[in-house]
Amino acid sequence: MADLIAFDAKTQVFHLHNQQISYIFAIEDGGVLGHLYFGQAVAGYHGERRYPRKDRGFAGNLPVAEPERGFSLDTLPQEISSRGEADFRIPAFVIRQADGAQASRFVYASHRIVPGKPKLPGLPAAYVESPDEAATLIVTVVDQPSRLQADLYYTIYRDRAVIARSVCFRNPADQPVVTLEQAASVQLDFPAGDYRVLSLPGAHANERHLQKEVVGYGIKQFASTRGTTSHQMNNFIALTAPDADEFHGDVYGIDLVYSGNHALTVEKDQIDQVRVVAGINPAGFTWELAGGAEFQTPEALLVYSHQGLNAMSQTYHRLIRERVVRGRYRDQERPILVNNWEATYFDFNEAKLRPIVDAAKKLGIEMFVLDDGWFGHRDDDTTSLGDWVVDSHKFPLGLKHFADYVHNQGLKFGLWVEPEMISKDSDLYRAHPDYLLAVPGRAPSPSRFQYVLDLSREDVRANIAGQLSDLLDQGYIDYIKWDMNRHLSDIYSHALPAARQGEVLHRYMLGLYALLEELTTKYPDVLWEGCSGGGGRIDTGFAYYMPQSWTSDNTDAISRLGIQYGTSLVYPPNTFTAHVSVSPNEQTGRSTSLATRGNVAMSAVFGYELDLTKLTKTEQKQVAAQVAAYKQIRPLIQFGHFLRLESGNDYAWMFVSADQNEALLFTFHLLNNGQPAFHIVKMAGLDPAKQYEDTATHTVYGGDELMHMGLYQPLQRQDFTTHQYHFKAIN
C-alpha cells in the first residue's frame, strides 16, 4: 500500500500516486485539510505547492489566540468545506446543528490506509477483485464542538488514472440529532487559471450533447431536480485547459455514481481559483442524523488526463467495463435483438408477433424482445402499470407459450417492464392507493397517465419484487428491459414523519438500488437493460446493476451521431444500445440509408426496432449482411478501445483491439454542397510500426500512414453517407 499512498508525518502531507497520476493534500494550520495537487504523476513532493500566505480584505481567519492574517479558509484550496466558518465559496457540507446553527468546521483527527476498496453500503460503486488492485486512504475529520465525524474516502487504483471519493458522516451515539442539508461526495479545488467546463445537457430524445463553456466568475451548476439522472443534464462534467481537445491538453473528469437528483457546481472566485463540488442535489434534500447513525454519500470518480478527452474517456470506459459492471454479462458479448415496439406498439397478439420472430430467425437475429402492452389490460398507456400479470386476451395460452415458440426458433426471449410506476386503473392502486408518492390533501400530478411508486418503502418494494419474481421464476425470460417513463413529483412518503420528508428522494434511490440488487442477484442469468424514456438514466450507478441501457428514444441515425458521441465521453459503447429503425424515421421524419442506420447502430450494442416482415428482399439481404458482419466485429466493438476522431458535418470514430492488431473505422458525412472539399480522416491508436490490410480492398497501409497521412473519403452525391473500414495487422 505504501507504493500507492504515502503519508509524511513530518510535513503532514498525503500523496496518492501511481505511474499515471498524483493526488496530494496536507494537514494545514488548525487541522484544516489543504488541497495541493491533482494531475500527472510526480515521483515525490518537496513542498513546492504550499499555499502562499497573503492578507486579503474581507477574508476571515481561524479563531485562535494569535490568528495568522495571511491564512484564510476563504482563499485556501481545501479538501472539504462547510458553511458558517468564513469560507464564503460554495460548501461541500451544510449541517444544521441541534441548536439550529449552520456552523461547522471539520479538522483532521486521524487516518488509516487499507488495502483494496471498501464497499459502500446500499450504493453502487467501483470495486476491486483483489486487494492489491488499489489502496484506500480514510481520513477522519471532526467538527469539534458537535463531535460530528466524517470519514473521507480516497481510493487510488494501481494501474488506472482514477481517484474514487466519497464521505461517510457519523454522529456519536450520545449526541443529539443533527440535520444534513447538503452532503457532497467530493470537493475539488483548482489553482488560479483559465478553465473550460464541459457538460452533457439534452432533452428527451435529444440527450447528452457536448457543451463547452468558459468558466467565468460566479457559480454555474449542472443539475437535475427530476428525481433521476435525467435527459436534461447528465451527472458528469469535465474541467479542461482552454486548448484541450480529443487528443491534447489537461482534462479533469468528475463522474457521480448516482441515479437520482444531482448537482455538480463550479465556482470561480475573486482570485481566479476554481472549486467544483459534486454530489446529491441539496435542493429538497435534508437528512436527520440521530446519535449513533451514519450517512454515506454516493461515490464520485475523478479521472485525470494530460492527453485530452479520448484518454479520459478510455480511462472511464475501462473502469466501467471492468470494475463497475458486474455479473455474467460483464465480459460476455451481448446479443443482437429485435424489439417489437415500433413494429406493433400496443396492437399485437401471439399470431401477429410470430412472423416477426420467423423473420428474425431467417436474418440471424439472436433475441426477440416484447415491449410494452403484454400485461394487465394494457391496450394504451392509461392503464395497468403495477399489475405485472399476462394479458390473457393477447396471450390466451399464456406468455410462456409464446416464449417457447421464440426459443424453438433459436432466439432468446426478452420482456419490457416499468416496475417503478403505477396506473390509477390498476388492481395494485385499487388495493394500495397509499403506495403512490403523493402529498396529503393534494391531487398528484400525472405524467403519461402514470404515477410513481414510493420505493422508499420496503412493503412497496416487496410487492414489486414478488410480482417480478413470479414471472422470472418460470425460467423462460432471458432479458429484461427496465423502463421509467416519467420524472418524480409530489414528493411525499406516508412512511415518514413530516420533519423527514426531505429524505424521500434519496430514500427512493436507496430503495431502487436495494430492489435492483435483490433481483439482479437472484436472477444472474438474465440480461438486464436500463431505460428511462430512452437515455434519461444512463449513468455509472445504473451500470452497476444493468450492464447496458437504451441510449435514446430517438432512433434517427443522424440524431444518434451526436447523442452517441456525447454518451461515449464517459460510458463505454458496450453499455449503451442502438437500433436500426424505419426510414423515414418516426421521430424526425428524416430519410437515411440502411447502410447509414446500420453503421450508427453497429457502433454500440446492436439491434433492430422495426417490422422485419415489411422489409423488401433487397433490405432483407442488407439486414442479413449487417447481422453477419456485426457478429464478426462484435468483440472489437464491445470490448475494444473506442476513439472519437471528428464531429460536426463529418463524424468519425474507431475501435482498436488491445493488441493493436485490429481496427474498425466508421465515417459519416451529413450534408453535401456544390463544391465539396476533399476530406481526409486520420486514424489513431494504431501501432505505427505495423502494416494493416483493409479487409475489403486488401490494400496495405502502415499504421503511421493511417494515423499521420490519413485516408481521403470518397465523394458521393447525396446526404447522410457512411463508410466502414476494417483493418487487420499482417505482421
Side-chain angles (χ1 to χ4, degrees), residues 348-351 390-399 401-402:
F348 61 81
N349 55 33
E350 182 168 342
V390 177
D391 184 344
S392 59
H393 295 286
K394 292 179 180 177
F395 297 97
L397 299 177
L399 187 57
H401 184 268
F402 174 61

Side-chain angles (χ1 to χ4, degrees), residues 555-561 564 578-581 583 590-603 606 622 626 653 666-670 716 718-724:
T555 56
D556 170 56
I558 305 308
S559 297
R560 273 299 190 100
L561 287 171
Q564 291 176 206
H579 296 169
V580 174
S581 62
S583 181
R590 190 173 3 244
S591 296
T592 53
S593 69
L594 193 51
T596 296
R597 285 175 278 154
N599 278 354
V600 173
M602 280 195 281
S603 299
F606 184 48
Q622 286 181 282
Q626 287 177 344
W653 52 56
F666 292 91
T667 66
F668 307 91
H669 181 69
L670 275 60
Q716 294 191 14
Q718 64 184 84
D719 295 334
F720 313 132
T721 56
T722 185
H723 293 280
Q724 180 186 140

Side-chain angles (χ1 to χ4, degrees), residues 38-316:
F38 178 37
Q40 198 166 348
V42 295
Y45 170 72
H46 299 88
E48 301 88 346
R49 291 285 283 268
R50 185 176 187 271
Y51 195 65
R53 269 48 176 169
K54 178 176 174 53
D55 184 6
R56 296 184 185 273
F58 294 89
N61 312 121
L62 293 181
V64 294
E66 297 183 10
E68 164 57 62
R69 291 186 59 170
F71 183 82
S72 175
L73 297 181
D74 193 38
T75 57
L76 177 73
Q78 297 173 63
E79 290 297 299
I80 56 165
S81 63
S82 54
R83 180 177 293 167
E85 290 286 336
D87 184 347
F88 299 100
R89 295 169 290 180
I90 52 173
F93 312 141
V94 177
I95 298 159
R96 187 170 297 279
Q97 304 288 356
D99 60 6
Q102 285 187 322
S104 58
R105 176 162 50 90
F106 287 91
V107 297
Y108 173 85
S110 63
H111 75 272
R112 64 188 191 277
I113 300 171
V114 299
K117 186 175 187 293
K119 291 184 177 182
L120 302 187
L123 287 165
Y127 59 87
V128 297
E129 289 191 336
S130 64
D132 61 353
E133 280 186 46
T136 299
L137 169 66
I138 306 169
V139 180
T140 299
V141 293
V142 61
D143 176 49
Q144 291 172 339
S146 70
R147 294 172 52 208
L148 182 67
Q149 298 177 351
D151 289 336
L152 312 182
Y153 285 81
Y154 300 77
T155 296
I156 182 166
Y157 283 85
R158 187 169 300 281
D159 62 350
R160 305 174 193 270
V162 178
I163 301 289
R165 293 277 306 272
S166 70
V167 181
C168 181
F169 291 93
R170 291 183 285 112
N171 195 10
D174 60 349
Q175 291 298 106
V177 173
V178 299
T179 302
L180 305 181
E181 297 184 342
Q182 179 173 339
S185 300
V186 62
Q187 173 182 311
L188 193 57
D189 284 359
F190 293 86
D194 184 14
Y195 298 97
R196 304 294 182 267
V197 60
L198 192 153
S199 58
L200 295 173
H204 174 241
N206 192 29
E207 298 91 340
R208 289 174 302 283
H209 288 269
L210 272 69
Q211 173 178 262
K212 191 173 185 179
E213 51 196 311
V214 174
V215 176
Y217 296 106
I219 297 171
K220 173 83 174 184
Q221 188 174 82
F222 306 89
S224 171
T225 57
R226 295 170 175 266
T228 73
T229 313
S230 84
H231 311 77
Q232 287 71 20
M233 187 62 69
N234 193 254
N235 51 5
F236 161 86
I237 61 170
L239 219 63
T240 78
D243 59 347
D245 58 23
E246 291 287 10
F247 294 99
H248 308 94
D250 287 340
V251 176
Y252 303 86
I254 301 101
D255 177 41
L256 188 65
V257 187
Y258 191 60
S259 309
N261 280 0
H262 57 83
L264 296 93
T265 309
V266 181
E267 180 179 11
K268 185 173 184 177
D269 72 13
Q270 72 272 18
I271 54 173
D272 293 345
Q273 299 175 143
V274 172
R275 171 172 290 177
V276 178
V277 172
I280 296 170
N281 196 322
F285 168 83
T286 59
W287 193 276
E288 284 195 0
L289 198 63
E294 296 183 350
F295 180 85
Q296 174 65 54
T297 72
E299 183 167 87
L301 299 172
L302 311 182
V303 166
Y304 168 74
S305 161
H306 67 280
Q307 296 177 314
L309 293 169
N310 265 311
M312 178 204 70
S313 296
Q314 288 183 8
T315 299
Y316 276 123

